Amino acid sequence: MINRTVSSVEEALEGVKSGMTFMVGGFGLSGIPENSIAQLVKTGITDLTCISNNAGVDDFGLGLLLQGNQIKKMISSYVGENDEFERQMLSGELEVDLIPQGTLAERCRAAQAGIPAFFTPAGYGTEVAEGKEVRDFNGKPHILEHAFQADFAFVKAWKGDEAGNLIFKGTARNFNPVMAGAATITVAEVEELVPAGELDPNQIHIPGIFVKRIFQGAKYEKRIEQRTVRQKA
Amino acid sequence: MLTKEQIAQRIAKEVKDGYYVNLGIGIPTLVANYVPQGIDVEFQSENGVLGMGPFPFDGEEDADVINAGKQTITTLPGASFFDSSMSFGMIRGQHVDLTILGAMEVAENGDIANWKIPGKMVKGMGGAMDLVASAENIIVAMMHTNRAGASKLLKRCSLPLTGVNCITKVVTNMAVMDVTDKGFVLLERAPGVSVGDIKAATEGNLIVEGEVPEMVI
């Protein structure tokens, strides 16, 4: 067994520097690497490029890094629900690259899988296609998209073991599995870290080979963005 | 004129037994409430769930189980979770049978705009561009005109496009229309709405062939 564990969030984030590009897992506030984000805020590093489907809310998720003006550029598919984000974008402080969600996922997966580029129909004929190569396949136009290049990927799983194997829960899975192994260094934080051998190899979603450092998060707030319920009859 | 609920109710009649369906945010989400009994469908949410159920009971909500609108949801027997790449593999690979989404504008050639108002609203396209580029069966749920009364069914979209030549059907508060090579073909009128009313509210080419029946909801 190759042990991927690190003893603390500080050790997990060793090597992060201003100007780097990070992948950050999660959809909305679900499945975000809360502990890594909190530590990134503490480091005070700036001029970051963040690849993440969303930008959090004003006071949680990547919104915490936006508050401190640590992010220079966001690469996302949907950035509603964040007033500070909107303010920074409209004032020109923050660069924003909006790309289709499926393309975002696939550009991560391509980086993970060693595929430099791929063709997709998403965005053809729109401003997303501007400046990109177009090619017809089976009579349908597609645009060329490239794999991302990132320094760190921060992902969050439900359970993990010392070997870096990961299991996700519910829709908190989202972008986390496709970002694991898609950057130079992948840091996985988990709600529960167990010794190697405790997780059933049949149930592993992401093998430890894609994870460089793993640690158990000190605490999880797991904030709900849109609490919607029905009443019992 | 139909209410938003009635638009959803009318669209629900397009949902067939055995369909996997992706519902967008807004009116499309309401469609799930009106799928007739005895029809087996599974709802896909692009953040990574197939087999989505109703909202949870108060106190049973789970931060790890949400839909694409970030609302807490439940799952039904047979449901599955998956990652974002696989989710869009389902969409791009045309495994999803029907996509229902909202729009700000639809053009007579099937173009759609629903993600950006330059200088005003820039929230992003989310999964809409992937959905409209790949789905073969797309129904748009929308109001026929904007608040100022101007048509949202146009010759050409004025807003930045989400996709080109992709919309096949539109259900509004006034009418049901197919989108064809020649333009909007009027299929049904909302109760109390005349063909003349619909013509006046449609900037794009509206094709009227014979008697146009009133919608049955």
Side-chain angles (χ1 to χ4, degrees), chain B:
Chain B
M1 303 250 197
L2 302 186
T3 62
K4 287 178 178 178
E5 280 73 20
Q6 287 172 316
I7 295 173
Q9 223 173 327
R10 175 59 190 81
I11 291 174
K13 295 172 79 170
E14 305 291 323
V15 178
K16 305 281 187 277
D17 192 46
Y19 268 16
Y20 294 98
V21 183
N22 180 287
L23 299 178
I25 295 163
I27 302 174
T29 306
L30 303 171
V31 172
N33 302 334
Y34 299 109
V35 174
Q37 290 274 320
I39 284 184
D40 290 328
V41 299
E42 282 194 22
F43 291 109
Q44 195 245 23
S45 199
E46 62 269 22
N47 58 316
V49 55
L50 197 56
M52 205 183 351
F55 295 140
F57 288 118
D58 199 357
E60 292 174 12
E61 59 275 22
D62 181 348
D64 293 331
V65 184
I66 63 169
N67 65 16
K70 287 118 187 172
Q71 296 171 308
T72 44
I73 54 155
T74 58
T75 54
L76 296 173
S80 55
F81 295 116
F82 35 84
D83 68 56
S84 300
S85 174
M86 186 176 284
S87 182
F88 281 91
M90 280 174 205
I91 290 163
R92 218 184 288 106
Q94 299 184 336
H95 305 283
V96 175
D97 300 289
L98 174 63
T99 294
I100 303 168
L101 76 173
M104 297 171 188
E105 295 176 346
V106 173
E108 63 185 32
N109 65 345
D111 290 0
I112 176 172
N114 74 350
W115 75 281
K116 183 178 182 181
I117 304 173
K120 270 192 186 165
M121 187 210 78
V122 191
K123 288 175 187 276
M125 65 291 283
M129 283 193 183
D130 308 270
L131 281 158
V132 300
S134 294
E136 296 217 297
N137 193 4
I138 306 174
I139 303 176
V140 167
M142 66 192 292
M143 303 311 264
H144 212 100
T145 57
N146 65 20
R147 285 192 190 92
S151 182
K152 294 165 79 170
L153 298 161
L154 307 171
K155 290 191 188 306
R156 286 286 172 271
C157 291
S158 65
L159 295 169
L161 294 177
T162 308
V164 294
N165 200 9
C166 52
I167 304 305
T168 48
K169 200 178 220 70
V170 181
V171 179
T172 72
N173 53 332
M174 298 182 84
V176 178
M177 291 149 290
D178 270 345
V179 187
T180 69
D181 292 344
K182 297 188 181 74
F184 299 107
V185 176
L186 183 59
L187 300 178
E188 297 172 21
R189 299 172 290 116
V193 175
S194 72
V195 170
D197 295 335
I198 297 165
K199 261 192 180 159
T202 309
E203 188 217 86
N205 188 31
L206 185 76
I207 299 159
V208 182
E209 289 161 338
E211 271 304 288
V212 179
E214 201 167 270
M215 269 180 230
V216 180
I217 298 168

Side-chain angles (χ1 to χ4, degrees), chain A residues 27-31 54 76-81 85-86 89-90 98-103 105-106 109 120-128 140 156 158 169-175 177-178 191 222-233, chain B residues 25 46-49 54-74 81-86 88 92 94 115-116 119-135 160-164:
Chain A
F27 182 95
L29 299 178
S30 190
N54 313 94
S76 304
S77 87
Y78 188 84
V79 293
E81 8 282 357
F85 184 98
E86 206 168 350
M89 182 170 63
L90 294 172
L98 291 169
I99 61 180
Q101 197 176 328
T103 300
E106 203 60 18
R109 200 193 72 86
T120 177
Y124 170 75
T126 75
E127 60 187 61
V128 164
K140 191 172 167 170
K156 188 259 169 183
W158 179 39
K169 178 170 161 274
T171 54
R173 190 183 311 196
N174 57 63
F175 284 84
V178 289
E191 289 178 50
K222 293 176 69 164
R223 199 186 289 188
I224 293 174
E225 210 165 325
Q226 304 280 343
R227 185 180 302 271
T228 46
V229 296
R230 63 193 156 127
Q231 301 303 323
K232 278 183 181 144
Chain B
I25 295 163
E46 62 269 22
N47 58 316
V49 55
F55 295 140
F57 288 118
D58 199 357
E60 292 174 12
E61 59 275 22
D62 181 348
D64 293 331
V65 184
I66 63 169
N67 65 16
K70 287 118 187 172
Q71 296 171 308
T72 44
I73 54 155
T74 58
F81 295 116
F82 35 84
D83 68 56
S84 300
S85 174
M86 186 176 284
F88 281 91
R92 218 184 288 106
Q94 299 184 336
W115 75 281
K116 183 178 182 181
K120 270 192 186 165
M121 187 210 78
V122 191
K123 288 175 187 276
M125 65 291 283
M129 283 193 183
D130 308 270
L131 281 158
V132 300
S134 294
L161 294 177
T162 308
V164 294

